[in-house]
Amino acid sequence: MAAPPSPPASQTLGPSTSLPGRRWGLLLTGSALLLAGAAYLAGLGTRVPATGTGGHSRQFTSGPGLQMWSSFSPDGNLLVYASDKTGRFELYTKPVTPGGREIPLTEDGQQNIMPAWSPDGKWIAYHAVVQNALRIVPATGGTPRTLSDFGLDPAWSPDSRQVVFRSGVYLSPIAADFGSLHGTRLYLADLEGGMPRPLTSEIMARGGQISPCWPAGSDSLYYLSASAHGSSTVWRLRLGDGARPEAVRRSADHAWLSLACAPGGRELYLSEAS
């Protein structure tokens, strides 16, 4: 496979780099994933219930450390997430039914985070912090392989043949770490290999280009540009030769932190700093 382009040297992590400790002091020493019956999301600026008007949540994981960055399987029966209960972040899958057994998906000490399940259910893409690489692993377990020598925030194409991701490095889950986003851009990698190709230009970047998502059945993908100054924009990029991003929604006084596509592809959801 041809070597993909590397990000600037100042953004590259060495092989012995671990997640920085200075920001982790701002987090609780432990966390658990919750399954919610009615979570409230910021849907393009309007708070709407995800399901119904009531509901409940139940604790899904337990144990020491952090459990974060979850992604459902396409059939909704399994969840993949990252946990640092062994001292380093690894990926785990677990059935959503009560009493389901947790299964390790990675065990290589590479600080694996940000898993994203492919729409066909066969693959999980993720970011390996130590290598600063975009990798994929079979959803049933197996040997991971590298799609790109850099890459965060992976999101799959509807046909599961491509992964869109952003450049840059991971610092911490703290929302205030917008400094790491400046000048980041989006790339596209093919599942079969080859050199990732840029989708957006750094010249067009307003803050960092983050949180891409690709709605089912769409020829367009969406992403956020965000900065530390509280301004955010949702962009749409129609895939094709010469296509340029177009702004869908702007916010001058709210920091939007992440963007997600609804399963049916008809709605977008935003998380917002308050």
Side-chain angles (χ1 to χ4, degrees):
M1 183 179 73
S6 298
S10 61
Q11 294 185 338
T12 302
L13 292 175
S16 61
T17 303
S18 60
L19 293 180
R22 66 180 182 86
R23 293 177 175 84
W24 289 97
L26 301 176
L27 294 174
L28 296 176
T29 57
S31 71
L33 292 177
L34 299 177
L35 293 183
Y40 283 83
L41 302 174
L44 289 182
T46 303
R47 293 191 175 274
V48 296
T51 56
T53 57
H56 66 280
S57 63
R58 62 180 174 87
Q59 186 168 328
F60 182 68
T61 63
S62 61
L66 296 168
Q67 292 92 46
M68 304 179 68
W69 301 288
S70 57
S71 176
F72 278 101
S73 62
D75 60 12
N77 292 328
L78 295 168
L79 198 69
V80 61
Y81 53 91
S83 172
D84 68 346
K85 63 182 180 179
T86 64
R88 292 228 162 185
F89 276 105
E90 302 288 358
L91 302 185
Y92 299 84
T93 60
K94 186 178 180 182
V96 300
T97 53
R101 184 170 65 92
E102 180 183 79
I103 299 175
L105 194 62
T106 64
E107 298 179 281
D108 55 17
Q110 295 297 309
Q111 297 280 30
N112 302 315
I113 61 174
M114 299 180 177
W117 216 306
S118 66
D120 64 7
K122 295 180 180 179
W123 298 95
I124 292 170
Y126 64 94
H127 175 64
V129 177
V130 173
Q131 295 178 320
N132 194 34
L134 176 71
R135 310 196 78 192
I136 60 171
V137 63
T140 55
T143 302
R145 65 181 174 94
T146 298
L147 283 186
S148 170
D149 287 340
F150 63 99
L152 303 90
D153 284 346
W156 289 88
S157 63
D159 61 7
S160 300
R161 297 175 61 183
Q162 297 173 305
V163 180
V164 60
F165 60 95
R166 72 170 174 90
S167 60
V169 295
Y170 177 79
L171 293 181
S172 85
I174 301 301
D177 276 327
F178 280 109
S180 67
L181 305 180
H182 181 71
T184 59
R185 60 193 297 195
L186 300 184
Y187 288 79
L188 190 67
D190 291 325
L191 190 64
E192 299 303 319
M195 184 176 293
R197 56 188 183 275
L199 291 175
T200 57
S201 167
E202 290 181 279
I203 297 175
M204 292 186 290
R206 300 179 182 181
Q209 299 173 349
I210 62 173
S211 200
C213 73
W214 200 331
S218 175
D219 63 352
S220 301
L221 59 87
Y222 295 79
Y223 65 93
L224 288 177
S225 63
S227 72
H229 306 294
S231 60
S232 306
T233 304
V234 178
W235 297 88
R236 176 173 59 205
L237 176 62
R238 297 183 186 276
L239 298 182
D241 294 337
R244 294 178 63 86
E246 55 182 312
V248 174
R249 180 67 60 90
R250 299 183 189 272
S251 172
D253 53 1
H254 294 287
W256 292 333
L257 306 179
S258 64
L259 176 69
C261 299
R266 297 175 59 86
E267 297 172 305
L268 299 175
Y269 292 93
L270 293 162
S271 65
E272 178 181 294
S274 59

